[in-house]
Amino acid sequence: MDASSELQGFYKLTLEKRREVLKKATSLTDEEIKALANTGSLSPETADHMIENVVGGYTYPLGIATNFRINERDYLVPMALEEPSVVAAASNAAKMARAKGGFTVTNTGPVMIGQVQVVNVPEPEAAKAKLLKKRADLLQKANDQDPMLVSLGGGAKELNVKVLSTVKGPMVIAELIVNTGDAMGANAVNTMAEAVAPMIEEITGGRVFLRIISNLADRRLVKATAVFEKEAVGGEDVVDGVVYAYAFADADPYRCATHNKGIMNGVVAVGIACGQDIRALEAGAHSYASRSGKYKPLTTWGKNKDGDLVGTLEMPMAVGLVGGAAKTHPTARADIKILGVKTATELAEVMGAVGLAQNFAALRALASEGIQRGHMKLHSRNVAISAGATGVLVDLVAMRMVEEKKIRFDRAKELVAELSKERKA
Ligand code: NAD
């Protein structure tokens, strides 16, 4: 931009005034300003309280994935995202899983880790022993911060201490292991970690710097499995193709990144719909995938004795129903109601099932007809719209591009011109 990005006092202005300043600074048109002013189901006041320097809102399409049967219950799954074919793929995969009863998902409980970093510790190993000796006092101090959570059966349950060798010398890391109940738990755990820090300094004789939750939520895992009948997925060849696809991801991080991205297509879309911290979900997923020192798939695929396809997924799923946008965003609240989940772990289990379904759908498409056929059919509508098609022209242009197998912006532009001329004539 040509103007300065130092917008003095921007944070103090109302939304309306911020938009005026923005308009001047960026030469946005009235229409563009209107597009970003819309806060959707959020009131402008709520939006203004959620983050800083708010000028408006941003809306994703919200779709409902159908056919899901998880732990012998049916679910309609809200998904918010911009990518075509994800909702259709999830619904289709869930339909194929139904023949064998759908998805079975378990979880390890809503347990998060809060880390306290202590540096300049004179005797790290001795400090570790002293901290462990004071375990009960430290847990008590942590739990004093959140009587509500403790009253619900949650709270700090364990203390771990490790000595790390780092580029800045040895460090003592004290870890609070906290059951966060129906909360994602970042605020709750961070508050506890901050509260125990002075005690930890006193016990160790060191200096505390960081006091923060770990997003490698490896004590908050979901484990999902599903069996896909050989006949339902398209035969033995497709089953073999999916197993080979998994083996490829297991052996190669370049493939594995995309394999895991496909899982996150589902997980993140449900996460957004239900007001979750999707950065935390992504960080948890990819750090867990790398826990062996090699980046690995979050799912496995194999065959059972009948030749059916068996998929499993294991990944952290730090989600909450209290706190964050799950509580403040009206659409998130409605989506949680659509799902009908009663606890954070139930939501985590649904998201694990969706991740597995999404991965299956992508691998099946890749292993058979290729991803582009289905994808591009849906994508063609987006290309048509971006080339200027409106109303009935969207489908007409999209259809023509699919027929011609030329789903490209330049062709869409030509077709828009051609077909609108024809329609006028
Ligand atoms: P929160 O603090 O708003 O709510 C949790 C609190 O709700 C608990 O401490 C408890 O006192 C109370 N509570 C009431 N009923 C409960 C129940 N049934 N189960 C559990 N607690 C109950 O939210 P939070 O979950 O602690 O924090 C989540 C927010 O923290 C997210 O918005 C996230 O974006 C943000 N955050 C994330 C990170 C990170 O991931 N690294 C860091 C900082 C903040």
Side-chain angles (χ1 to χ4, degrees):
M1 64 191 289
D2 294 332
S4 169
S5 63
E6 283 182 295
L7 301 179
Q8 286 293 328
F10 192 66
Y11 72 98
K12 291 188 211 154
L13 304 178
T14 61
L15 272 73
E16 185 106 30
K17 283 265 184 299
R18 283 189 204 128
R19 286 195 289 268
E20 278 172 27
V21 173
L22 189 66
K23 192 174 173 207
K24 260 193 215 136
T26 60
S27 68
L28 285 180
T29 64
D30 283 343
E31 201 160 330
E32 285 159 343
I33 285 286
K34 211 170 130 198
L36 56 86
N38 186 353
T39 50
S41 68
L42 273 180
S43 69
E45 294 72 33
T46 309
D48 202 24
H49 285 127
M50 284 173 80
I51 63 165
E52 307 74 40
N53 291 357
V54 172
V55 294
Y58 185 103
T59 319
Y60 274 132
L62 177 71
I64 304 289
T66 55
N67 304 319
F68 272 90
R69 188 156 179 83
I70 304 164
N71 294 339
E72 296 179 1
R73 253 202 79 187
D74 274 38
Y75 292 88
L76 289 173
V77 182
M79 302 177 86
L81 82 165
E82 85 301 344
E83 189 173 340
S85 84
V86 170
V87 179
S91 307
N92 198 20
K95 190 171 193 172
M96 290 187 204
R98 281 183 89 88
K100 290 283 180 186
F103 300 84
T104 305
V105 195
T106 60
N107 74 84
T108 57
V111 179
M112 301 298 286
I113 301 168
Q115 297 189 301
V116 181
Q117 175 203 31
V118 205
V119 303
N120 296 339
V121 182
E123 292 176 63
E125 288 299 336
K128 173 179 170 177
K130 280 193 222 163
L131 283 170
L132 289 172
K133 221 166 158 192
K134 290 279 185 185
R135 174 184 170 280
D137 295 345
L138 287 162
L139 293 182
Q140 185 61 51
K141 182 76 181 172
N143 284 328
D144 287 348
Q145 313 311 310
D146 205 332
M148 176 76 179
L149 184 60
V150 173
S151 76
L152 294 164
K157 304 287 184 186
E158 284 174 48
L159 177 76
N160 273 351
V161 186
K162 58 191 183 191
V163 178
L164 291 185
S165 138
T166 80
V167 288
K168 293 289 285 175
M171 277 174 202
V172 176
I173 311 295
E175 293 180 334
L176 291 170
I177 312 300
V178 185
N179 181 316
T180 63
D182 285 326
M184 180 268 175
N187 287 324
V189 170
N190 294 346
T191 305
M192 289 181 179
E194 287 185 11
V196 296
M199 271 176 86
I200 289 179
E201 283 191 333
E202 203 175 298
I203 296 165
T204 58
R207 164 89 203 275
V208 166
F209 275 97
L210 271 58
R211 299 146 293 167
I212 182 83
I213 198 164
S214 168
N215 289 112
L216 174 48
D218 63 358
R219 291 177 179 243
R220 199 175 196 171
L221 301 176
V222 288
K223 300 178 187 190
T225 62
V227 177
F228 295 87
E229 254 180 1
K230 182 172 60 185
E231 293 75 24
V233 305
E236 194 180 347
D237 221 36
V238 177
V239 171
D240 286 340
V242 171
V243 178
Y244 276 123
Y246 157 67
F248 181 8
D250 188 58
D252 178 32
Y254 289 89
R255 171 60 209 147
C256 192
T258 318
H259 180 102
N260 287 343
K261 189 271 181 185
I263 297 169
M264 298 313 282
N265 275 347
V267 170
V268 165
V270 184
I272 293 175
C274 297
Q276 302 303 311
D277 182 340
I278 55 163
R279 286 85 50 203
L281 292 169
E282 292 277 12
H286 299 293
S287 54
Y288 191 67
S290 312
R291 69 194 180 284
S292 67
K294 264 191 95 182
Y295 186 67
K296 290 284 185 179
L298 294 164
T299 54
T300 67
W301 293 95
K303 277 203 269 191
N304 67 12
K305 60 177 176 11
D306 301 324
D308 294 333
L309 183 66
V310 183
T312 71
L313 168 145
E314 181 178 300
M315 65 182 288
M317 202 67 84
V319 293
L321 292 183
V322 299
K327 259 283 174 295
T328 48
H329 202 300
T331 311
R333 287 204 303 270
D335 290 340
I336 290 166
K337 193 169 172 183
I338 294 170
L339 266 180
V341 293
K342 296 288 180 283
T343 62
T345 48
E346 191 183 356
L347 173 59
E349 288 180 348
V350 169
M351 289 167 70
V354 175
L356 184 59
Q358 210 74 61
N359 185 224
F360 162 72
L363 297 187
R364 178 174 175 266
L366 282 169
S368 47
E369 64 185 14
I371 205 93
Q372 285 307 74
R373 205 174 115 205
H375 206 79
M376 289 313 266
K377 223 182 258 175
L378 291 158
H379 181 58
S380 60
R381 299 186 84 250
N382 284 347
V383 176
I385 292 167
S386 60
T390 53
V392 285
L393 268 190
V394 176
D395 279 334
L396 288 176
V397 171
M399 252 158 48
R400 277 283 290 275
M401 287 194 295
V402 171
E403 277 163 21
E404 293 173 5
K405 296 200 172 77
K406 254 193 227 160
I407 300 161
R408 295 196 322 241
F409 185 75
D410 56 324
R411 182 61 187 143
K413 273 224 157 286
E414 285 168 14
L415 285 167
V416 171
E418 197 180 297
L419 292 170
S420 40
K421 218 187 271 167
E422 268 176 32
R423 287 179 64 77
K424 273 187 204 133

